[in-house]
């Protein structure tokens, strides 16, 4: 199935999973093989990483994209990966099936316009300081070039609550569904900030009517080069995936 078809299937729940960052060929291939075996069709993984501190791992760049392409070649999975600026967008466009625009770039208007011109599906994350209407405004910078293959991601916003990394705004799911016709995806990993909270947030998002989820999964989270605390290991993801299938049945959605 083409990714562009997936976006039109309102009765579907798209599952995207994979590591926060592409770290090595073995890390990505091990993850991709395990996910594909479970039935997951879209692999995530960042090659260009927006990190808070410049001393932190910044991603493998084009070498990382080549590793993702290798995983697609072997497993047939589609690839979603982040473009951080106009330069990385050119490369991501070449290698990826879905272009991710991250929370920190959610109002980078030149980047949004350029992503719209690619005509590839765009996974647009909500800025953690942005309202739902601002997210919709951002989506219009993509669609103004005629690219309507957009998925909107609720990935948590900043509030006064600090026991989780961000606060997942579950309300964004029904509100976005009322206002726009794009699939709404829940990212339970970044608001959780801790693997313990990922499952409840993922299930809450699907129960609220989300059209998909994007989850961070790593073969050995404790050794991850970014977002180590929140990534699920393969067993944890496998258990979550079973529950995703059960809730999706109640929600009348086919897991794809
Ligand atoms: C990510 O997906 O790893 C990421 C950086 O997410 P966000 O832009 O939501 O912080
Ligand atoms: Mn991450």
């Amino acid at each position: 199935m083409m990714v562009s078809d997936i976006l039109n299937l309102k009765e579907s729940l798209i599952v995207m999973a994979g590591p926060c960052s592409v770290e090595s060929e073995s890390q990505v291939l091990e993850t991709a093989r395990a996910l594909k075996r479970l039935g997951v069709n879209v692999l995530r993984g960042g090659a260009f990483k927006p990190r808070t501190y410049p001393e932190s791992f910044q991603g493998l760049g084009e070498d990382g994209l080549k590793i993702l392409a290798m995983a697609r070649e072997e497993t047939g999975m589609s690839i979603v990966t982040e473009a951080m600026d106009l330069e990385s967008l050119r490369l991501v466009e070449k290698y990826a099936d879905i272009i991710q625009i991250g929370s920190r770039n959610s109002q980078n208007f030149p980047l949004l316009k350029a992503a719209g011109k690619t005509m590839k599906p765009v996974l647009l994350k909500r800025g953690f300081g942005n309202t739902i209407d601002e997210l919709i405004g951002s989506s219009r910078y993509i669609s103004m070039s005629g690219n309507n293959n957009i998925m909107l991601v609720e990935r948590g916003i900043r509030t006064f609550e600090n026991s989780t990394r961000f606060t997942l705004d579950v309300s964004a799911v029904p509100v976005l569904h009322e206002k726009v016709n794009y699939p709404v995806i829940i990212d339970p990993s970044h608001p959780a900030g801790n693997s313990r909270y990922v499952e409840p947030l993922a299930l809450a998002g699907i129960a609220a009517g989300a059209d998909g989820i994007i989850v961070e999964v790593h073969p050995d989270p404790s050794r991850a080069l970014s977002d180590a605390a929140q990534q699920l290991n393969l067993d944890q993801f496998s258990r979550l995936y079973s529950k995703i299938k059960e809730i999706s049945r109640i929600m009348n959605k086919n897991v794809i």
Side-chain angles (χ1 to χ4, degrees):
M1 189 184 309
M2 299 282 293
V3 172
S4 49
D5 297 333
I6 290 170
L7 302 187
N8 294 322
L9 296 177
K10 278 284 178 191
E11 67 277 14
S12 299
L13 184 110
I14 183 170
V15 176
M16 298 173 262
C20 177
S21 295
V22 173
E23 298 168 4
S24 69
E25 195 180 310
S26 59
Q27 171 235 17
V28 169
L29 290 179
E30 184 184 343
T31 311
R33 286 178 192 132
L35 291 172
K36 181 69 192 184
R37 225 176 295 127
L38 288 173
V40 176
N41 293 308
V42 185
L43 178 68
R44 65 147 287 148
F48 298 94
K49 298 302 301 178
R51 303 304 303 278
T52 303
Y53 303 105
E55 298 80 10
S56 304
F57 176 62
Q58 302 285 307
L60 296 181
E62 188 170 10
D63 288 342
L65 298 176
K66 288 182 180 161
I67 292 173
L68 291 169
M70 215 181 281
R72 173 178 47 209
E73 185 71 28
E74 185 187 311
T75 62
M77 295 172 87
S78 297
I79 301 296
V80 56
T81 192
E82 178 167 352
M84 279 210 324
D85 48 29
L86 296 176
E87 197 184 329
S88 52
L89 176 66
R90 295 280 80 89
L91 290 168
V92 166
E93 179 186 6
K94 192 164 119 193
Y95 290 92
D97 302 286
I98 304 171
I99 297 165
Q100 175 175 330
I101 306 282
S103 190
R104 290 155 190 81
N105 268 318
S106 199
Q107 288 192 310
N108 181 337
F109 303 120
L111 183 62
L112 295 170
K113 283 192 223 172
K117 290 194 183 116
T118 66
M119 296 298 159
K120 286 215 167 174
V122 179
L123 184 83
L124 172 62
K125 291 192 157 198
R126 177 181 183 180
F128 51 72
N130 287 154
T131 64
I132 292 173
D133 277 331
E134 285 167 341
L135 174 62
I136 293 171
S138 292
S139 75
R140 290 223 283 270
Y141 279 93
I142 300 169
S143 64
M144 66 189 245
S145 310
N147 185 351
N148 273 296
N149 272 330
I150 301 170
M151 293 181 269
L152 300 176
V153 184
E154 166 56 38
R155 48 77 72 212
I157 52 176
R158 193 146 270 171
T159 68
F160 53 80
E161 183 52 66
N162 57 11
S163 35
T164 52
R165 190 176 177 196
F166 296 94
T167 300
L168 182 71
D169 180 11
V170 180
S171 324
V173 179
V175 173
L176 283 168
H177 276 155
E178 202 170 79
K179 295 185 174 217
V180 285
N181 207 14
Y182 299 127
V184 180
I185 311 295
I186 286 288
D187 172 346
S189 301
H190 291 88
N194 189 303
S195 57
R196 293 198 308 284
Y197 304 134
V198 171
E199 179 175 303
L201 298 187
L203 300 178
I206 299 168
D211 306 293
I213 61 162
I214 180 163
V215 189
E216 288 188 342
V217 181
H218 191 289
D220 186 358
S222 66
R223 299 180 65 171
L225 299 180
S226 60
D227 288 351
Q230 73 198 26
Q231 302 203 59
L232 300 184
N233 65 34
L234 294 166
D235 284 343
Q236 289 168 326
F237 179 77
S238 169
R239 283 194 291 276
L240 169 61
Y241 193 65
S242 303
K243 294 191 185 176
I244 287 171
K245 285 193 278 193
E246 285 184 49
I247 301 235
S248 298
R249 185 151 24 83
I250 297 168
M251 299 303 292
N252 284 320
K253 279 177 172 286
N254 286 317
V255 177
I256 55 169

